[in-house]
């Protein structure tokens, strides 16, 4: 990946939302995460950050996200994301190496 975008949401001096996108500078952008503090959820903050991301990367061929939990897929579908047919999320975890 060549670059990244970070979007934050604040309530005065309190960080309440955070989104990060990694991209290859021309074709693919990967929305790494969209986080909103639990006290501020259901207020449209994530929606606003996602819409900002979609606007910035509107000329890219792909804007992708891989929710860590299947239950979150429906949230992203509201914004036009689709589950990739026959797609399989894969991961290599090096947690054991961090001890």
């Amino acid at each position: 990946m060549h670059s990244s975008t970070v979007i934050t949401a604040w309530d005065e001096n309190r960080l309440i939302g955070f989104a990060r996108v990694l991209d290859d500078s021309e074709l693919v952008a990967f929305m790494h995460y969209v986080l909103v503090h639990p006290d501020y959820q259901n207020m449209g903050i994530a929606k606003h950050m996602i819409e900002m991301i979609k606007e910035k990367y509107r000329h890219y061929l792909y804007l992708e996200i891989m929710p860590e939990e299947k239950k979150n897929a429906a949230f992203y579908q509201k914004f036009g994301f689709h589950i990739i047919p026959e797609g399989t999320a894969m991961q290599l975890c090096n947690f054991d190496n961090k001890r």
Side-chain angles (χ1 to χ4, degrees):
M1 296 290 171
H2 291 109
S3 66
S4 67
T5 297
V6 174
I7 296 174
T8 57
W10 297 83
D11 182 2
E12 296 186 16
N13 62 349
R14 184 178 186 190
L15 178 64
I16 60 169
F18 187 83
R20 183 164 185 219
V21 181
L22 305 172
D23 68 76
D24 67 359
S25 299
E26 44 183 290
L27 294 175
V28 179
F30 180 75
M31 196 163 32
H32 190 59
Y33 42 76
V34 177
L35 306 169
V36 175
H37 188 283
D39 293 346
Y40 292 84
Q41 291 178 357
N42 300 310
M43 296 180 166
I45 296 166
K47 175 184 178 181
H48 184 68
M49 291 190 297
I50 291 170
E51 293 300 336
M52 290 173 68
I53 291 165
K54 286 175 60 178
E55 175 62 23
K56 177 173 181 171
Y57 291 101
R58 71 186 181 279
H59 297 298
Y60 277 57
L61 187 58
Y62 296 107
L63 175 56
E64 299 182 345
I65 186 157
M66 186 180 74
E68 289 187 22
E69 298 178 7
K70 286 184 181 185
K71 68 180 182 178
N72 292 335
F75 173 77
Y76 293 102
Q77 286 176 316
K78 293 182 208 176
F79 301 100
F81 289 87
H82 303 279
I83 295 172
I84 300 170
E86 303 297 323
T88 302
M90 299 179 75
Q91 181 180 60
L92 174 63
C93 180
N94 290 313
F95 182 75
D96 290 335
N97 296 340
K98 303 297 180 198
R99 292 182 188 176

